[in-house]
Structures are given as structure tokens and as C-alpha cells.
Amino acid sequence: MSEDELAIESDKNDDMDEDAESSEDDLYEQVKQKRAAKLAAKAEIYTRTSSPPSLPETVDGKRHITYQIEKNRGLTRPKNPRKKYRTKHDKAQKRRLGQGPSGPYGGESSGINARISRSIRL
């Protein structure tokens, strides 16, 4: 290749590099602008206002209360009386199991072992 051709190719490469650099710069500028717009929108949403939020206006001047406010039950779980008495009965049965058999006294249930002597001979 001649020097003229090399000079033309280098000029083309320089132009491409400048185009690439300018397009990259444009891209970075666009990204910066998008980010700034996003942050501004977010700041606008989450800024505190000095005025309190307005309450809904009522015609009568009084606000109607809800069923939940009227009952004021809080976090109590719903009751099921059948389940309560069933568990109460099961508990009582377990308690009575330790009392032993009902009926007349039948002696020691384990019995007496004749081979064991725990007395002391004199």
C-alpha cells in the first residue's frame, strides 16, 4: 500500500473512532438523564408534606363506625365451643387414667415377689 492509501485509511479509522466516542458519550448522557429523572420522580413521591392528609368529609358531621370498631375484639381467634368441650373431656380422661381401675380393691397389681428378702436377720 502506498502512503496515500494508508493516510486515507487512518482518516477513516479516526472518523469511526470519533463517531464511536460520540455515540458512547451520547449513550452515557442518556443514561445520566434517565437516572436523574428517575431519582427526581422518586424524591417527589417520597417527600413529606407539611399538611396532614385530608379526612373524607361527612354530611352529618359524624363518621359511621365499622363493625370491627364497634366490637373492638382485637386479635382474638374465633371460638368453637364443641372443640373446647371435646379437649376438656380428653384432658379429664387422661387425668383419670392415673387413678387406676374403678371397682373393689384387688390388692397390689404387681404382686409380691417371694424370692426377694429385704429384711435383716438377727
Side-chain angles (χ1 to χ4, degrees):
M1 287 190 187
S2 67
E3 291 178 13
D4 293 334
E5 291 175 359
L6 289 175
I8 293 172
E9 284 186 25
S10 66
D11 288 340
K12 287 182 182 176
N13 288 340
D14 289 342
D15 290 340
M16 287 183 194
D17 290 341
E18 288 176 8
D19 290 341
E21 287 177 9
S22 65
S23 66
E24 286 179 6
D25 290 339
D26 291 340
L27 178 67
Y28 285 126
E29 287 299 320
Q30 286 177 356
V31 171
K32 282 183 183 178
Q33 288 175 355
K34 279 184 182 178
R35 179 173 164 74
K38 186 177 179 182
L39 289 174
K42 199 173 189 181
E44 185 179 330
I45 291 171
Y46 292 110
T47 54
R48 291 187 177 189
T49 58
S50 59
S51 63
S54 62
L55 296 173
E57 295 185 25
T58 57
V59 178
D60 301 338
K62 290 188 177 181
R63 199 171 55 140
H64 295 289
I65 62 171
T66 61
Y67 177 81
Q68 186 178 9
I69 293 173
E70 182 182 358
K71 294 303 174 184
N72 191 19
R73 292 181 54 174
L75 295 175
T76 57
R77 79 182 107 175
K79 296 179 181 177
N80 184 356
R82 293 185 310 274
K83 184 176 179 184
K84 178 183 174 185
Y85 288 121
R86 186 175 66 218
T87 54
K88 195 172 178 183
H89 176 70
D90 290 342
K91 210 179 205 183
Q93 277 186 329
K94 287 176 188 173
R95 227 183 15 249
R96 290 187 192 107
L97 280 175
Q99 293 177 353
S102 60
Y105 179 70
E108 289 294 322
S109 60
S110 62
I112 298 172
N113 193 348
R115 290 178 289 179
I116 294 177
S117 174
R118 294 194 175 119
S119 63
I120 299 172
R121 293 190 179 193
L122 297 176

